[in-house]
Structures are given as structure tokens and as C-alpha cells.
Amino acid sequence: MATHAPDSFTSPRYDTQRDQLAAYFDGTARKAWIDLTSDAKVSGIRATVRAGREEMRGVLLSMLPTDLRRKRLLDGGCGTGALAVEAAFRGAEITAVDIAGGLVEVARERAPQFLGHGKIDFRAGDFLDSGLGEFDHIVLMDSLIHYPLEDMVAALRALSQRCSGSIVFTFAPHTTMLGAMHKVGKLFPRSDRSPAIVPIAEERLEQALSQMDGWNIGRSQRVSSGFYTSHAMQLVRC
Ligand SMILES: C[S@@+](CC[C@H](N)C(=O)[O-])C[C@H]1O[C@@H](n2cnc3c(N)ncnc32)[C@H](O)[C@@H]1O
């Protein structure tokens, strides 16, 4: 895999979690993820997740400028590439990167040849790799939800140094159900676990982000659809 070690932020815990996510999304979860992000028939529960994710994609895109012509956009953790394609049709020049190289291949195959004024450079690797360059906007849809608060904030700080406009991202809000699921998940033997989604308390996140010099929290919106709950937040350079 063409992965550069991220040089602006790293910790053994972050590296381990990132590598587990790559193995999970390219292995155990690969087929389910490919189906979920297509029109394939899925179970009722997964259909609610698909609907929620489609709504969330719209929310994140609405937090970016409508006209993205000549704007450099990083889609960090692009998965199978649906958001990148929509942003490209709005004119963006996109670097779409994911640590799961197999999903990047799917994204490359799925992307239409004609993208209007936009273009997409798909890459396998870590979204924190500073070699990816500088951006006007950065989007991370459900790509940080498996990292604890400290690593999520450290990642956003590192990315903010390479971004001149806005960062839009999601986190898994701490709800009673997610908190309970997280606790139950910890009871399973490590080898049986899929990477846990880490519930984040909104106030703690806001407090940590309010200390990011030169950035303000902008719009914030939660999406709940059956088994999918995720919260979008916008950071804007001031
Ligand atoms: C829940 S999926 C979301 C994928 C896509 N954003 C979407 O909404 O369809 C999370 C994705 O983030 C990727 N990811 C997690 N950590 C990453 C990292 N450090 N660098 C690049 N990709 C990462 C995973 O491989 C996975 O494809």
C-alpha cells in the first residue's frame, strides 16, 4: 500500500487503530461496505443506516461552498467515493484518500469518467500525510468516528495547518444507546471485535476545538436514522 507515515501527528495508539481500520475495511467489512454504498438489497437495519448516511452526505456537502470550482478539497477516508463524486460535479479538485486501498480501487472504478469541471485524484494512504499537500476545504465523513477524542482533536489540528478555508467532519455523539453499545463491545475478546465507534461528548469536543487558534466552530447538525446516528460539525478559519 502506498502509505506515507503521517509526519505532522502520530502516536502508537493512532497508528494501531488506523492499521486495524485498514484491515477491517479491506477485509471483514469489505463486502458489507461495498453493498451498503451501492443500490444492492440490504437488511432493514442497514437500509436505515444507508438512508442516514445519504442524508449526512447532503448535510456535509451543504456545509461546503456551493461553487467549488478551482477549490482544492481533501476527502479524508473517502471509502467508495460517493461524496468525492458529488463534490467533483460542483467543480472541486479533489484528493480522495483512504487507508483501505481496496475501497479506493472500488471508488476509482465507480467514479464516472466525466466529472464536469471537477477532478478526483484517488490515493491509498493516511489522510494525515502532509505529502498530500494543502487544501481550501477538508471533509471527513465518519472517518474519525473510531478514534478517541484526543486523537480526533489532534488529527483536526494537524489537518488545520494545511487548510485555508473550512473543515467539515462528523463524530459519533454520546447517546445512551451508543454509550451502552461501546461498553458491551469491550466485553468481547479482542479478536472478535470490529473496531469500536467511540462516542464523543459534544461539549468536550467543542471545548477542545475552541482552543484551536484561528478557527471557529460554524454549523453543527445531527442526523439520526434508525441505527445510524452521526453529528456533523464545521470548523471555519477566522
Ligand atoms: C465509516 S468509513 C466512511 C467512508 C466514507 N467517508 C463514507 O462516508 O462513505 C471510514 C473510512 O475512514 C477510513 N480511515 C480511517 N482512518 C483513516 C486514516 N487515518 N487515513 C485514511 N483513511 C482512514 C477507513 O478506511 C474507512 O474507509
Side-chain angles (χ1 to χ4, degrees):
M1 187 191 307
T3 315
H4 296 266
D7 49 15
S8 48
F9 157 74
T10 188
S11 77
R13 180 179 61 189
Y14 170 85
D15 292 348
T16 305
Q17 183 66 337
R18 179 202 56 209
D19 294 348
Q20 279 177 1
L21 289 168
Y24 174 70
F25 281 103
D26 265 346
T28 338
R30 181 181 155 83
K31 168 127 185 13
W33 199 254
I34 287 174
D35 287 351
L36 186 69
T37 57
S38 70
D39 295 334
K41 196 163 165 35
V42 288
S43 70
I45 287 176
R46 289 206 173 152
T48 67
V49 174
R50 183 187 274 165
R53 287 177 34 75
E54 281 171 10
E55 186 181 341
M56 178 54 86
R57 193 162 67 239
V59 168
L60 291 172
L61 284 163
S62 78
M63 290 180 175
L64 293 169
T66 311
D67 185 358
L68 285 168
R69 277 176 297 173
R70 288 179 295 281
K71 298 294 179 203
R72 294 156 305 165
L73 175 74
L74 175 67
D75 181 0
C78 63
T80 53
L83 191 148
V85 168
E86 284 196 45
F89 277 117
R90 279 159 56 173
E93 294 170 11
I94 302 160
T95 299
V97 63
D98 201 291
I99 201 71
L103 292 187
V104 177
E105 276 169 34
V106 175
R108 208 177 267 129
E109 281 161 20
R110 280 187 183 173
Q113 294 269 320
F114 177 74
L115 289 166
H117 291 288
K119 55 182 181 193
I120 311 178
D121 178 12
F122 286 108
R123 307 264 191 108
D126 189 318
F127 47 58
L128 293 188
D129 177 6
S130 61
L132 294 171
E134 308 220 324
F135 299 93
D136 297 291
H137 303 282
I138 296 179
V139 62
L140 302 135
M141 174 164 160
D142 295 345
S143 314
L144 292 171
I145 59 174
H146 298 279
Y147 295 97
L149 177 71
E150 296 73 18
D151 290 353
M152 177 184 280
V153 172
L156 290 167
R157 276 182 183 279
L159 289 168
S160 72
Q161 286 161 23
R162 300 193 269 122
C163 182
S164 58
S166 68
I167 303 177
V168 294
F169 70 99
T170 60
F171 64 94
H174 196 291
T175 60
T176 315
M177 184 158 108
L178 254 183
M181 281 164 64
H182 190 63
K183 279 203 185 115
V184 170
K186 283 190 166 168
L187 300 176
F188 289 118
R190 196 160 277 283
S191 56
D192 291 353
R193 290 186 211 158
S194 56
I197 292 174
V198 186
I200 301 283
E202 191 176 349
E203 309 86 82
R204 286 191 61 210
L205 177 62
E206 281 181 354
Q207 205 205 353
L209 296 178
S210 67
Q211 285 158 28
M212 263 172 67
D213 280 346
W215 291 83
N216 283 336
I217 296 176
R219 280 178 54 199
S220 174
Q221 189 172 332
R222 191 167 295 190
V223 171
S224 288
S225 160
F227 276 68
Y228 180 83
T229 300
S230 191
H231 194 119
M233 198 173 267
Q234 181 190 40
L235 288 169
V236 187
R237 206 174 252 293
C238 50

